[in-house]
Structures are given as structure tokens and as C-alpha cells.
Amino acid sequence: MAKDEKPEQNEKHAGGRPSCYRETYQEQVYKLALLGATDKELADFFDVCEATINEWKKVFPEFSESIKRGKIQADVEVAEKLFHRATGYTHPEEKIFCHDGKIVRAATTKHYPPDTGAAFIWLKNRRMWTDRTDFTSGGEKIVPQIVTYADATKKQVKESNDDTK
């Protein structure tokens, strides 16, 4: 090709450093994503900079898809475990005892009651609950009132007496 001629559309630009990306990285990046690896950690693993990982995601769609699949699978497994923890669960277990110098094995069922902390996290993430209370309305601060059961009952009795008069 002469100096004045431009390369045809189907010709690749021959300049630049060749990529060190390998197809085997797809499986490796999937497994790393399952473990919750960040882009920085992926870059460290493959001994490249984080910008290279971002470039590989753009240039090699299968690489990007492997990361997405791994992250989704990891999120599903964590959500499932969090749900079980939030709602309580049971599982079979074997207890081992020493009775009169003999080892005794007994099949039992271990029960874990619901965990309110896990339930709150689940609801916070799934139902957009918040752990903050906003006591403002239209720029004006609302002061929360604490009403005891006794106070509420007295108010109801008073209102019912007023209605009968």
C-alpha cells in the first residue's frame, strides 16, 4: 500500500500494542466475580491496570458477560442466604456425645430463629425501607409524640363519654 492510500475498511489498524487478553480469562473472571471481586481486584489478578479491564469489557463482550453472570449469581446466592436468615430455617445436624466412655451419635434438627437484623436488611434492600426518620414536612420540623397505651385508652374513654352526652 502506498503512503497516500488509506487502508480499506476491512483492514485492521496494525499499530499499537497487541492485547494480552486471552479467551481463558472468561472463565477466570466469572469465578472471580462469583467471589465478589472488584474491577481493581480483577486488574491486580490479571496484572493489568483498571483501565485495561474496562477496555476489555468494551472490546470483548464475552468478557463483560462473564463478569455480569458471576456478579448476578453471587447476588442471588447472598439474597437467598439473607432471606433464610431473615425468616428462620432448620437443617439436619449430627450431635456427638460421650456417654459412659462411649461415643454416641444422634441425628437432630438444628433450628435458627428469624433474625431481625437480616429481616431489616432484606426489607431495606427489597422494599426501600430506611433506617432514617425524616421529621420535616414542607420545611417545617415535625416533633414526634410518644403516646403510651394508657394515654391512648384514656383519650378513647373520654371521647366515648363525650359522644354519649
Side-chain angles (χ1 to χ4, degrees):
M1 181 164 61
K3 279 186 179 182
D4 299 344
E5 293 179 28
K6 291 185 179 180
E8 291 182 27
Q9 292 288 32
N10 61 359
E11 279 186 39
K12 286 190 172 185
H13 185 278
R17 182 178 176 183
S19 174
C20 61
Y21 176 81
R22 304 289 174 258
E23 284 187 28
T24 57
Y25 291 176
Q26 291 174 42
E27 187 62 28
Q28 290 173 320
V29 79
Y30 171 75
K31 291 176 181 177
L32 290 167
L34 276 175
L35 296 172
T38 63
D39 286 356
K40 173 73 174 119
E41 291 167 333
L42 294 175
D44 291 343
F45 178 82
F46 291 112
D47 199 27
V48 295
C49 66
E50 198 171 344
T52 302
I53 295 294
N54 292 327
E55 183 65 22
W56 287 351
K57 287 181 193 177
K58 292 176 195 170
V59 176
F60 305 103
E62 62 279 357
F63 183 78
S64 180
E65 285 302 313
S66 292
I67 293 172
K68 288 177 189 174
R69 280 187 310 111
K71 287 182 178 184
I72 288 170
Q73 181 64 35
D75 290 349
V76 166
E77 289 178 21
V78 169
E80 182 181 351
K81 302 297 183 201
L82 180 61
F83 177 77
H84 287 300
R85 184 69 189 240
T87 59
Y89 64 99
T90 59
H91 69 84
E93 179 180 77
E94 182 179 50
K95 296 249 182 188
I96 303 172
F97 303 97
C98 183
H99 182 69
D100 293 334
K102 295 181 183 176
I103 295 176
V104 178
R105 296 175 182 261
T108 63
T109 301
K110 176 85 173 180
H111 175 72
Y112 294 92
D115 179 358
T116 55
F120 182 76
I121 291 169
W122 177 264
L123 290 171
K124 189 172 157 182
N125 291 328
R126 300 282 293 187
R127 299 289 177 210
M128 303 306 162
W129 280 29
T130 182
D131 53 353
R132 294 187 185 138
T133 307
D134 186 13
F135 293 114
T136 60
S137 174
E140 151 184 344
K141 189 163 186 162
I142 300 170
V143 179
Q145 295 179 343
I146 300 172
V147 179
T148 64
Y149 177 74
D151 292 340
T153 308
K154 285 178 191 175
K155 185 177 179 183
Q156 286 178 340
V157 169
K158 184 180 178 188
E159 287 174 358
S160 67
N161 288 340
D162 291 343
D163 290 341
T164 58
K165 290 181 184 178

